[in-house]
Amino acid sequence: MKTYLTIALQAVEQAAKICQQVQAQLVEEDSLTKKDRSPVTVADFASQAIICKRLKEAFPEIDIVGEEDAQSLRQDENREVLNKIGQFLPDWSVDQILDSIDLGNGEPGALFWTLDPIDGTKGFLRKDQYAIALALLKDGQPVLGVLGCPNLPFNGQADRGTLMYAIKGEGAFTLPLGGGEAKQVHVSDNDPEDVVRFLESVEAGHANHSLQGRLMAHFGDRAKAVRFDSQVKYAVLARADADVYLRLPNSEKPDYREKIWDHAAGALIVQEAGGTVTDMFGKPLEFNHGKKLMANRGLVVTNGKLHQKIIELLNRG
């Protein structure tokens, strides 16, 4: 497992550095208001190409289930995006870029990687929080997870991003982007009688904020809201900077199910940091139903001490 971890950390860190370059050079103040997604599209595809290439070189027998594919980039109208990707991968040919992205078109099996090359599109465009999420799954469960969080300060150092990783049964750890000593992380010790810090998505459409608001009201003044984009929320909770993360179903999308690449890495990291991750009914997450969590509805992520209380509140008649 150590070999898998070494390659995974190197791949995610390399992708994070490219994403930082894209963000610094292509994202302008009005990118979001103009709905110009091209900068994050460039970073998204470049990130997947880098990570898939590194993984396949090291572990050619293991499929990669990634979020993206290169079909749209092969169309003439997207040639400009492809050319911009090439600017950040100057030693790569066009075919190498396209083929490396498509290395992520694998299918879930007994052992496979799952990858979200950039989670948090609007956070990226705001130059705020986003994450690169990579997990190795065996027999339907994550056994290794890596989160690259380029804009999440490491131990208060605003100029350093954060890497976080976990191996099943061995704990969760953090280290700064760019290298440094890894330190183990643990979730908070807060219980229902303490201040309860709830993580909320910055984007309101991503979850049922009204239901979360009603649940927070149960804790009165002890409930505090902490807002972050993307799977960065898992990293924040794992290092004890928050206590509860809810991903509750939106009533307007009753058939929606979460994608595995949006949660596999983060879920393992929180669990290995001592937290608990289930669906909203207290059922463990099942990653062996294809590319979505088809057997689960909603997510509840806590420091463990708060979990049963949150489940009870959510499922009151």
Side-chain angles (χ1 to χ4, degrees):
M1 195 58 66
K2 294 296 185 183
T3 302
Y4 293 123
L5 175 64
T6 298
I7 298 299
L9 285 172
Q10 291 173 352
V12 169
E13 183 155 22
Q14 186 178 358
K17 291 177 179 177
I18 292 293
C19 290
Q20 288 176 318
Q21 293 175 25
V22 175
Q23 194 178 57
Q25 294 182 36
L26 297 185
V27 176
E28 300 174 354
E29 292 297 327
D30 57 356
S31 289
L32 187 58
T33 58
K34 289 183 178 180
K35 298 183 179 179
D36 178 11
R37 290 172 53 93
S38 62
V40 74
T41 301
V42 170
D44 213 21
F45 282 119
S47 175
Q48 179 150 322
I50 289 167
I51 292 174
C52 287
K53 184 173 184 291
R54 290 296 304 271
L55 293 179
K56 274 297 185 180
E57 287 174 347
F59 315 109
E61 73 285 1
I62 303 178
D63 269 1
I64 306 167
V65 180
E67 184 179 30
E68 307 297 345
D69 66 63
Q71 181 177 353
S72 64
L73 290 179
R74 298 179 190 274
Q75 300 170 8
D76 289 341
E77 60 264 33
N78 291 317
R79 182 60 59 174
E80 182 179 353
V81 171
L82 185 57
N83 289 339
K84 286 182 179 178
I85 295 171
Q87 294 175 17
F88 294 95
L89 300 173
D91 297 328
W92 296 41
S93 69
V94 168
D95 286 342
Q96 283 178 317
I97 293 171
L98 295 172
D99 291 346
S100 293
I101 292 168
D102 279 340
L103 290 174
N105 293 348
E107 293 295 328
L111 182 68
F112 68 97
W113 299 97
T114 189
L115 167 66
D116 191 340
I118 286 188
D119 185 43
T121 298
K122 291 186 177 180
F124 181 91
L125 290 173
R126 290 196 309 271
K127 296 189 176 180
D128 205 340
Q129 299 301 330
Y130 65 97
I132 300 159
L134 176 65
L136 180 65
L137 289 91
K138 182 177 182 180
D139 299 328
Q141 289 298 316
V143 293
L144 183 154
V146 177
L147 287 177
C149 309
N151 289 341
L152 183 65
F154 180 80
N155 286 350
Q157 302 175 61
D159 60 335
R160 305 203 73 179
T162 298
L163 277 174
M164 198 167 282
Y165 68 87
I167 294 175
K168 189 173 179 61
E170 297 186 19
F173 299 84
T174 187
L175 69 159
L177 275 173
E181 182 182 355
K183 297 183 178 180
Q184 192 163 5
V185 293
H186 301 277
V187 296
S188 75
D189 290 327
N190 290 8
D191 63 30
E193 302 306 316
D194 298 323
V195 169
V196 181
R197 298 163 297 173
F198 284 82
L199 282 157
E200 292 186 337
S201 297
V202 175
E203 300 302 325
H206 286 178
N208 189 330
H209 280 275
S210 62
L211 177 55
Q212 176 156 328
R214 292 196 299 272
L215 188 147
M216 290 174 66
H218 171 85
F219 296 93
D221 293 340
R222 289 182 289 110
K224 306 298 180 184
V226 184
R227 291 203 164 192
F228 279 88
D229 296 289
S230 78
Q231 282 192 70
V232 165
K233 289 188 284 293
Y234 281 107
V236 169
L237 198 150
R239 70 183 194 182
D241 289 338
D243 310 302
V244 179
Y245 166 36
L246 304 178
R247 182 87 171 184
L248 303 177
N250 190 324
S251 59
E252 296 180 1
K253 301 176 181 179
D255 297 325
Y256 179 80
R257 294 295 184 274
E258 299 286 341
K259 309 291 195 309
I260 59 173
W261 48 73
D262 286 330
H263 300 286
L268 179 65
I269 287 170
V270 166
Q271 289 169 329
E272 288 298 316
T276 303
V277 183
T278 70
D279 68 12
M280 64 183 296
F281 304 107
K283 181 181 178 182
L285 303 187
E286 297 181 14
F287 291 91
N288 56 349
H289 299 282
K291 297 180 181 180
K292 296 183 179 181
L293 294 170
M294 295 304 298
N296 299 109
R297 185 81 167 130
L299 277 89
V300 177
V301 185
T302 76
N303 64 353
K305 288 188 175 183
L306 289 154
H307 207 85
Q308 189 56 41
K309 183 65 174 180
I310 298 295
I311 295 293
E312 290 173 1
L313 290 171
L314 283 174
N315 293 283
R316 281 181 173 176

XYZ file of all heavy atoms in Angstrom, residues 35-97:
504
model
N -19.738 33.782 -16.642
C -19.974 32.352 -16.800
C -18.957 31.711 -17.740
O -19.268 30.811 -18.503
C -21.406 32.095 -17.284
C -22.456 32.572 -16.285
C -23.863 32.245 -16.747
C -24.881 32.716 -15.711
N -26.275 32.428 -16.127
N -17.738 32.189 -17.660
C -16.650 31.634 -18.464
C -16.013 30.491 -17.693
O -15.252 30.705 -16.758
C -15.618 32.727 -18.752
C -14.431 32.197 -19.546
O -14.515 31.056 -20.031
O -13.438 32.925 -19.673
N -16.332 29.264 -18.096
C -15.821 28.090 -17.395
C -14.506 27.578 -17.986
O -13.967 26.591 -17.496
C -16.861 26.962 -17.448
C -18.097 27.226 -16.612
C -19.144 26.145 -16.882
N -18.608 24.812 -16.708
C -18.679 24.120 -15.580
N -19.281 24.649 -14.527
N -18.171 22.901 -15.497
N -13.992 28.257 -19.021
C -12.822 27.704 -19.697
C -11.604 27.536 -18.786
O -10.887 26.538 -18.904
C -12.453 28.532 -20.932
O -12.120 29.858 -20.591
N -11.339 28.455 -17.832
C -10.162 28.225 -16.983
C -10.257 26.940 -16.168
O -9.287 26.175 -16.082
C -10.143 29.460 -16.077
C -10.847 30.512 -16.853
C -11.932 29.784 -17.589
N -11.418 26.686 -15.559
C -11.543 25.473 -14.764
C -11.588 24.240 -15.661
O -11.141 23.163 -15.281
C -12.773 25.529 -13.822
C -14.079 25.349 -14.575
C -12.652 24.487 -12.722
N -12.096 24.405 -16.879
C -12.088 23.285 -17.823
C -10.664 22.902 -18.189
O -10.318 21.713 -18.242
C -12.878 23.645 -19.100
O -14.222 23.969 -18.742
C -12.894 22.484 -20.070
N -9.833 23.882 -18.423
C -8.418 23.627 -18.715
C -7.766 22.903 -17.547
O -7.074 21.883 -17.721
C -7.685 24.953 -19.017
C -6.174 24.732 -19.081
C -8.184 25.558 -20.320
N -7.979 23.403 -16.346
C -7.375 22.786 -15.164
C -7.912 21.388 -14.926
O -7.167 20.467 -14.572
C -7.635 23.661 -13.938
N -9.205 21.208 -15.116
C -9.861 19.916 -14.913
C -9.234 18.836 -15.799
O -8.838 17.767 -15.331
C -11.348 20.076 -15.243
C -12.238 19.190 -14.396
O -11.811 18.761 -13.316
O -13.364 18.919 -14.819
N -9.147 19.120 -17.086
C -8.602 18.141 -18.025
C -7.108 17.926 -17.813
O -6.619 16.787 -17.904
C -8.879 18.576 -19.465
C -10.283 18.323 -19.919
C -11.108 19.362 -20.304
C -10.796 17.033 -19.969
C -12.409 19.138 -20.733
C -12.092 16.790 -20.399
C -12.905 17.848 -20.784
N -6.367 19.000 -17.545
C -4.928 18.845 -17.311
C -4.678 18.014 -16.066
O -3.789 17.143 -16.049
C -4.274 20.222 -17.171
N -5.459 18.255 -15.020
C -5.324 17.488 -13.776
C -5.580 16.006 -14.021
O -4.807 15.138 -13.571
C -6.303 18.030 -12.737
O -6.286 17.252 -11.562
N -6.659 15.698 -14.745
C -6.959 14.281 -15.005
C -5.880 13.640 -15.865
O -5.488 12.489 -15.620
C -8.322 14.132 -15.680
C -8.662 12.664 -16.002
C -10.135 12.370 -15.988
O -10.879 12.886 -15.168
N -10.569 11.517 -16.898
N -5.393 14.367 -16.870
C -4.355 13.811 -17.744
C -3.101 13.455 -16.943
O -2.535 12.360 -17.095
C -4.006 14.812 -18.848
N -2.669 14.368 -16.078
C -1.451 14.147 -15.292
C -1.610 12.949 -14.366
O -0.749 12.058 -14.304
C -1.118 15.409 -14.472
C -0.635 16.515 -15.395
C -0.068 15.106 -13.401
C -0.589 17.872 -14.732
N -2.700 12.930 -13.620
C -2.886 11.869 -12.625
C -3.062 10.516 -13.296
O -2.455 9.520 -12.873
C -4.074 12.201 -11.712
C -3.732 13.425 -10.846
C -4.434 11.007 -10.818
C -4.886 13.939 -10.013
N -3.867 10.461 -14.353
C -4.081 9.175 -15.027
C -2.789 8.639 -15.629
O -2.517 7.430 -15.561
C -5.147 9.325 -16.104
S -6.829 9.504 -15.458
N -2.001 9.512 -16.223
C -0.734 9.081 -16.812
C 0.192 8.501 -15.751
O 0.784 7.433 -15.941
C -0.062 10.260 -17.515
C 1.230 9.904 -18.256
C 1.723 11.112 -19.054
C 2.955 10.754 -19.880
N 4.136 10.512 -19.040
N 0.311 9.177 -14.607
C 1.179 8.683 -13.543
C 0.695 7.344 -12.992
O 1.486 6.417 -12.750
C 1.253 9.709 -12.397
C 2.005 10.974 -12.724
C 3.482 10.715 -13.020
N 4.177 10.032 -11.953
C 4.791 10.635 -10.938
N 4.770 11.956 -10.850
N 5.430 9.937 -10.020
N -0.606 7.232 -12.791
C -1.148 5.990 -12.235
C -0.984 4.823 -13.197
O -0.631 3.707 -12.785
C -2.627 6.171 -11.888
C -2.963 7.143 -10.754
C -4.470 7.207 -10.560
C -2.274 6.748 -9.447
N -1.246 5.055 -14.470
C -1.168 3.966 -15.443
C 0.265 3.524 -15.698
O 0.530 2.350 -15.953
C -1.840 4.377 -16.755
C -3.333 4.138 -16.786
C -3.669 2.648 -16.673
C -5.145 2.360 -16.818
N -5.455 0.917 -16.709
N 1.198 4.465 -15.624
C 2.602 4.091 -15.768
C 3.045 3.184 -14.625
O 3.807 2.233 -14.828
C 3.476 5.346 -15.811
C 3.387 6.120 -17.104
C 4.157 7.424 -17.048
O 4.561 7.855 -15.947
O 4.369 8.030 -18.120
N 2.550 3.475 -13.438
C 2.957 2.703 -12.257
C 2.137 1.437 -12.064
O 2.667 0.403 -11.632
C 2.847 3.585 -11.013
N 0.843 1.511 -12.384
C -0.067 0.387 -12.127
C -0.951 0.143 -13.348
O -2.168 0.413 -13.335
C -0.941 0.684 -10.901
C -0.191 1.249 -9.728
C -0.357 2.578 -9.349
C 0.698 0.451 -9.002
C 0.336 3.096 -8.269
C 1.403 0.970 -7.928
C 1.230 2.300 -7.559
N -0.376 -0.351 -14.433
C -1.126 -0.473 -15.691
C -2.331 -1.399 -15.623
O -3.248 -1.297 -16.445
C -0.067 -1.010 -16.668
C 0.980 -1.641 -15.803
C 1.010 -0.826 -14.552
N -2.333 -2.297 -14.648
C -3.424 -3.277 -14.563
C -4.651 -2.749 -13.827
O -5.707 -3.405 -13.823
C -2.921 -4.538 -13.848
C -2.697 -4.406 -12.339
C -1.443 -3.639 -11.926
O -0.718 -3.170 -12.821
O -1.213 -3.520 -10.711
N -4.567 -1.566 -13.221
C -5.669 -1.046 -12.409
C -6.445 0.014 -13.181
O -5.878 1.016 -13.625
C -5.157 -0.452 -11.083
C -4.359 -1.491 -10.299
C -6.334 0.054 -10.238
C -3.778 -0.965 -9.002
N -7.749 -0.191 -13.348
C -8.600 0.772 -14.032
C -8.740 2.055 -13.227
O -8.655 2.059 -11.991
C -9.996 0.189 -14.260
C -10.114 -0.526 -15.610
O -9.105 -0.581 -16.341
O -11.216 -1.015 -15.923
N -8.984 3.147 -13.939
C -9.222 4.455 -13.326
C -10.607 4.919 -13.738
O -10.930 4.990 -14.928
C -8.178 5.494 -13.772
C -6.757 4.982 -13.522
C -8.409 6.826 -13.063
C -5.684 5.799 -14.209
N -11.435 5.232 -12.759
C -12.778 5.748 -13.013
C -12.746 7.246 -12.725
O -12.816 7.670 -11.570
C -13.830 5.041 -12.134
C -15.227 5.595 -12.410
C -13.794 3.533 -12.375
N -12.574 8.037 -13.774
C -12.465 9.475 -13.625
C -13.751 10.186 -14.005
O -14.632 9.624 -14.648
N -13.830 11.451 -13.623
C -15.040 12.218 -13.919
C -15.100 12.652 -15.372
O -16.179 12.789 -15.944
C -15.116 13.453 -13.011
C -16.402 14.232 -13.205
C -16.511 15.440 -12.307
O -15.461 16.010 -11.957
O -17.642 15.814 -11.966
N -13.948 12.885 -15.998
C -13.924 13.482 -17.331
C -13.569 12.463 -18.408
O -13.010 11.408 -18.135
C -12.899 14.625 -17.367
C -13.076 15.668 -16.288
C -14.390 16.409 -16.379
O -15.066 16.340 -17.429
O -14.756 17.073 -15.393
N -13.915 12.822 -19.666
C -13.385 12.117 -20.830
C -13.083 13.153 -21.898
O -13.519 14.304 -21.806
C -14.355 11.040 -21.347
C -15.637 11.619 -21.899
O -15.586 12.357 -22.896
O -16.713 11.336 -21.330
N -12.321 12.758 -22.903
C -11.791 13.720 -23.873
C -12.662 13.867 -25.107
O -12.255 14.523 -26.074
C -10.380 13.315 -24.270
N -13.854 13.295 -25.102
C -14.687 13.322 -26.301
C -14.938 14.746 -26.791
O -14.799 15.052 -27.982
C -16.016 12.619 -26.038
C -16.939 12.575 -27.256
C -18.220 11.803 -26.979
O -18.371 11.194 -25.932
N -19.131 11.818 -27.930
N -15.298 15.645 -25.873
C -15.599 17.017 -26.292
C -14.361 17.732 -26.810
O -14.446 18.577 -27.709
C -16.211 17.795 -25.118
O -15.282 17.922 -24.053
N -13.188 17.395 -26.250
C -11.957 18.063 -26.682
C -11.540 17.645 -28.093
O -10.739 18.338 -28.727
C -10.820 17.754 -25.708
C -10.899 18.376 -24.321
C -9.704 17.951 -23.490
C -10.983 19.891 -24.404
N -12.061 16.537 -28.560
C -11.721 16.057 -29.903
C -12.535 16.770 -30.982
O -12.317 16.539 -32.175
C -11.940 14.545 -29.991
C -11.050 13.760 -29.029
C -11.293 12.254 -29.112
N -10.619 11.542 -28.045
C -9.367 11.126 -28.072
N -8.635 11.358 -29.146
N -8.834 10.493 -27.042
N -13.447 17.637 -30.580
C -14.266 18.386 -31.522
C -13.609 19.721 -31.832
O -13.013 20.363 -30.966
C -15.667 18.604 -30.936
C -16.390 17.301 -30.632
C -17.675 17.507 -29.844
O -18.106 18.644 -29.644
N -18.270 16.415 -29.405
N -13.730 20.158 -33.069
C -13.021 21.348 -33.530
C -13.370 22.598 -32.729
O -12.509 23.455 -32.506
C -13.324 21.594 -35.019
C -12.662 20.554 -35.918
O -11.708 19.902 -35.447
O -13.116 20.390 -37.062
N -14.633 22.703 -32.271
C -15.033 23.927 -31.576
C -14.346 24.090 -30.220
O -14.384 25.169 -29.615
C -16.559 23.987 -31.388
C -17.138 22.847 -30.591
C -17.668 21.734 -31.479
O -17.081 21.522 -32.564
O -18.663 21.097 -31.089
N -13.734 23.018 -29.734
C -13.037 23.076 -28.446
C -11.512 23.090 -28.610
O -10.779 22.853 -27.658
C -13.453 21.907 -27.561
C -14.892 22.029 -27.100
O -15.339 23.106 -26.724
N -15.633 20.942 -27.143
N -11.074 23.387 -29.809
C -9.641 23.392 -30.085
C -8.915 24.424 -29.227
O -7.783 24.193 -28.781
C -9.401 23.676 -31.564
C -7.938 23.664 -32.002
C -7.282 22.333 -31.743
N -7.962 21.236 -32.432
C -7.521 19.988 -32.452
N -6.402 19.682 -31.806
N -8.197 19.040 -33.076
N -9.556 25.566 -28.945
C -8.911 26.601 -28.143
C -8.632 26.102 -26.728
O -7.566 26.368 -26.165
C -9.777 27.862 -28.088
C -9.132 28.995 -27.300
C -9.990 30.254 -27.260
O -11.019 30.289 -27.963
O -9.613 31.179 -26.523
N -9.594 25.383 -26.145
C -9.397 24.820 -24.814
C -8.239 23.828 -24.835
O -7.379 23.834 -23.944
C -10.683 24.144 -24.304
C -10.411 23.372 -23.010
C -11.768 25.183 -24.068
N -8.209 22.984 -25.854
C -7.134 22.000 -25.979
C -5.783 22.696 -26.110
O -4.788 22.262 -25.509
C -7.392 21.089 -27.174
C -6.424 19.926 -27.379
C -6.360 19.026 -26.147
C -6.830 19.110 -28.602
N -5.739 23.777 -26.881
C -4.490 24.519 -27.037
C -4.030 25.121 -25.708
O -2.835 25.146 -25.405
C -4.661 25.619 -28.075
C -4.780 25.076 -29.492
O -4.359 23.953 -29.766
N -5.361 25.852 -30.389
N -4.996 25.595 -24.899
C -4.642 26.157 -23.593
C -4.107 25.078 -22.660
O -3.169 25.315 -21.896
C -5.849 26.844 -22.970
C -6.199 28.173 -23.618
C -7.394 28.826 -22.922
C -7.720 30.168 -23.559
N -8.906 30.797 -22.914
N -4.696 23.891 -22.720
C -4.176 22.782 -21.916
C -2.729 22.512 -22.298
O -1.863 22.308 -21.436
C -5.036 21.515 -22.120
C -6.448 21.736 -21.587
C -4.395 20.316 -21.409
C -7.418 20.616 -21.940
N -2.458 22.545 -23.610
C -1.102 22.307 -24.092
C -0.096 23.319 -23.590
O 1.087 23.008 -23.411
N -0.558 24.546 -23.302
C 0.346 25.567 -22.773
C 0.875 25.188 -21.396
O 1.992 25.561 -21.024
C -0.381 26.905 -22.691
C -0.760 27.493 -24.039
C -1.592 28.752 -23.907
O -1.646 29.369 -22.841
N -2.252 29.140 -24.991
N 0.075 24.447 -20.640
C 0.481 24.051 -19.287
C 1.117 22.661 -19.255
O 1.658 22.249 -18.234
C -0.731 24.110 -18.354
C -1.253 25.497 -18.160
C -2.292 25.973 -18.938
C -0.682 26.344 -17.222
C -2.771 27.268 -18.781
C -1.147 27.640 -17.054
C -2.196 28.103 -17.848
N 1.052 21.962 -20.380
C 1.727 20.663 -20.529
C 2.583 20.733 -21.791
O 2.341 20.027 -22.777
C 0.687 19.528 -20.635
C -0.250 19.365 -19.439
C -1.331 18.322 -19.754
C 0.514 18.955 -18.194
N 3.596 21.582 -21.801
C 4.331 21.895 -23.035
C 5.083 20.725 -23.644
O 5.396 20.743 -24.837
C 5.294 23.003 -22.597
C 5.459 22.809 -21.119
C 4.128 22.324 -20.645
N 5.390 19.709 -22.864
C 6.142 18.567 -23.383
C 5.232 17.461 -23.897
O 5.710 16.395 -24.291
C 7.059 18.007 -22.289
C 8.100 19.018 -21.839
O 8.539 19.835 -22.672
O 8.474 19.003 -20.653
N 3.932 17.701 -23.891
C 2.968 16.685 -24.298
C 2.447 17.004 -25.700
O 2.170 18.161 -26.030
C 1.778 16.653 -23.343
C 2.080 16.267 -21.934
C 3.136 16.647 -21.177
C 1.268 15.442 -21.096
N 3.046 16.109 -19.917
C 1.910 15.371 -19.835
C 0.061 14.772 -21.273
C 1.384 14.645 -18.768
C -0.472 14.055 -20.214
C 0.188 13.980 -18.981
N 2.268 15.968 -26.511
C 1.592 16.140 -27.793
C 0.090 16.177 -27.561
O -0.409 15.799 -26.495
C 1.930 14.977 -28.736
O 1.340 13.773 -28.270
N -0.649 16.625 -28.577
C -2.108 16.645 -28.478
C -2.642 15.247 -28.206
O -3.524 15.054 -27.357
C -2.723 17.224 -29.771
C -4.231 16.968 -29.811
C -2.448 18.724 -29.870
N -2.122 14.262 -28.907
C -2.598 12.888 -28.712
C -2.297 12.384 -27.308
O -3.102 11.658 -26.715
C -1.965 11.954 -29.748
C -2.567 12.130 -31.148
O -3.681 12.706 -31.231
O -1.923 11.717 -32.122
N -1.148 12.747 -26.761
C -0.811 12.329 -25.401
C -1.797 12.916 -24.391
O -2.219 12.235 -23.455
C 0.612 12.759 -25.047
C 1.697 11.901 -25.656
C 3.083 12.412 -25.308
O 3.350 13.617 -25.352
N 3.974 11.504 -24.948
N -2.162 14.173 -24.580
C -3.125 14.816 -23.682
C -4.464 14.107 -23.752
O -5.038 13.713 -22.726
C -3.286 16.305 -24.028
C -1.985 17.069 -23.737
C -4.457 16.913 -23.244
C -1.989 18.504 -24.247
